[in-house]
Amino acid sequence: MFAENDRISHRQLFRQIVMSLVAPFLLCLAGWHDMSGVNGLAGIVIVAVILGFYVIFLVRLAPAYEHMEKYMGKIQHVVIAAAYFAYIVFTAAFILDLISSLVGTWLLYGVNDWWIRIAVAIVCAAGSHYGMQKRARMAEVSFLIVAGALCLLVVFAFAQGNLFSVQEFFRQSLSAARVGRGSWQLLCGFLPLTLLPFLLCQVAKASGSGKTVFGAVVFLLVFLAVLLVLLPLALGWDRMTMETVPVLPLLAGTNLPGDIMARFDVIWISLILYALLYSLGSLYYYANYVTSHIAFSVNRWVVALLVWVISVCPFAGYRIAQYYPMIVAQFGVPILFGLTFYIYIWYRRRV
């Protein structure tokens, strides 16, 4: 159903979550380090169980986020806003760096990286002030195109060429340490779910949205699991582990049967870039929405400039892509997941 009374529907919520996370998941998690083979699949099962309970917890916590100052007090809600704002800005800088790398490598080879970042930042910031309704409609329209194309990618990749032995998938033995690290990396990928309580005040029948959100989580986990099986079979374990982004050679090597389109990889990359642009635009929107909702409003151009400065790496030897995984794993997950439980404690004391 489409949204009514200035609220988005459950279907639109589902599609927004998938559209915002699918491209980062493909490029940053599929086949990467401990998220591979049987260890990756085991991590997916563990995270699915954890998030099943956590999503219900977040849905029940939505009233506390909608009336943050009432339950937390003025000082605390400013601190909470700053924590979420910092996470959003650093994540947006990482996505901007990822977009510029893909565009510079696949679409505009030779163009100065700084100009690519400036153009992307301006385009995404220009439309970030539009409300949740328009973002929901964008997801509503583009979801089937992006999701359908990615499903075709998987089908073509399985169907064409000589697949390696199935034993390639089991080259890495099951390890509790690897499963633990892979589960933690996957939780880092789902950290944007901590923004869910802010969003639910704009969702029709928010109290019943738990199944919808968990459905989006399951969709992403199933698609990631399929890729974890596909990558070692299509690329071979050795090549997969040597690649920085294993999905990219899969995109480059997947074509229509009969080699109908020699540069079909450009289509795949364009779809991934569209999803990344949607993710970046969503982050710009939430940077303003979160701060204005509970404390203060930050102009979208200020957010874009701050993201660009962090992304372009003005310090010698610094690159956001190099440090972002460590920042999220060591600080982002403990702080933001911890904040939700802290807010819950205060909320229960005031109810």
Side-chain angles (χ1 to χ4, degrees), residues 15 31 42 45 74 80 90 103 113 129 180 225 234 249 275 305 319 328 334 347:
R15 295 186 177 189
V45 173
K74 189 171 184 177
I80 292 169
F90 273 90
V103 172
D113 183 68
H129 65 290
L305 178 61
R319 187 165 179 257
V328 173
Y347 171 59

Side-chain angles (χ1 to χ4, degrees), residues 49-269:
V49 174
I50 294 174
L51 292 180
F53 292 101
Y54 189 64
V55 165
I56 297 174
F57 173 76
L58 289 178
V59 171
R60 294 181 177 179
L61 197 56
Y65 282 72
E66 187 175 1
H67 307 286
M68 183 70 70
E69 186 173 355
K70 172 184 176 182
Y71 294 109
M72 303 300 299
K74 189 171 184 177
I75 296 178
Q76 288 197 104
H77 84 223
V78 171
V79 174
I80 292 169
Y84 279 103
F85 182 78
Y87 165 70
I88 292 171
V89 167
F90 273 90
T91 302
F94 173 71
I95 297 296
L96 180 57
D97 179 80
L98 192 58
I99 292 173
S100 66
S101 298
L102 288 178
V103 172
T105 302
W106 294 84
L107 300 179
L108 299 175
Y109 182 76
V111 177
N112 189 296
D113 183 68
W114 279 40
W115 294 114
I116 295 175
R117 293 171 195 259
I118 291 174
V120 171
I122 291 175
V123 169
C124 290
S128 63
H129 65 290
Y130 292 114
M132 183 65 66
Q133 283 282 321
K134 291 191 176 181
R135 303 208 64 79
R137 293 190 185 107
M138 285 180 60
E140 184 81 21
V141 172
S142 57
F143 172 80
L144 291 178
I145 298 174
V146 174
L150 292 177
C151 290
L152 283 177
L153 166 67
V154 172
V155 172
F156 291 161
F158 268 114
Q160 95 179 27
N162 295 319
L163 293 179
F164 286 80
S165 170
V166 176
Q167 295 178 352
E168 289 288 303
F169 177 75
F170 298 98
R171 282 273 296 274
Q172 188 183 74
S173 59
L174 190 63
S175 166
R178 291 194 180 99
V179 171
R181 290 194 296 268
S183 300
W184 190 258
Q185 291 166 6
L186 192 50
L187 284 175
C188 292
F190 276 109
L191 193 55
L193 283 182
T194 57
L195 299 171
L196 179 65
F198 293 109
L199 171 63
L200 290 179
C201 65
Q202 297 193 46
V203 177
K205 299 179 182 178
S207 60
S209 59
K211 291 182 179 179
T212 301
V213 177
F214 187 64
V217 170
V218 171
F219 180 93
L220 291 165
L221 289 177
V222 169
F223 191 73
L224 182 61
V226 171
L227 283 175
L228 293 187
V229 175
L230 172 62
L231 283 170
L233 300 183
L235 301 179
W237 188 271
D238 293 332
R239 183 183 178 186
M240 183 189 72
T241 54
M242 287 189 298
E243 294 286 348
T244 304
V245 184
V247 168
L248 291 181
L250 182 67
L251 295 174
T254 303
N255 197 350
L256 281 173
D259 199 27
I260 296 175
M261 296 183 67
R263 290 306 309 273
F264 210 63
D265 55 317
V266 175
I267 297 178
W268 302 129
I269 293 296

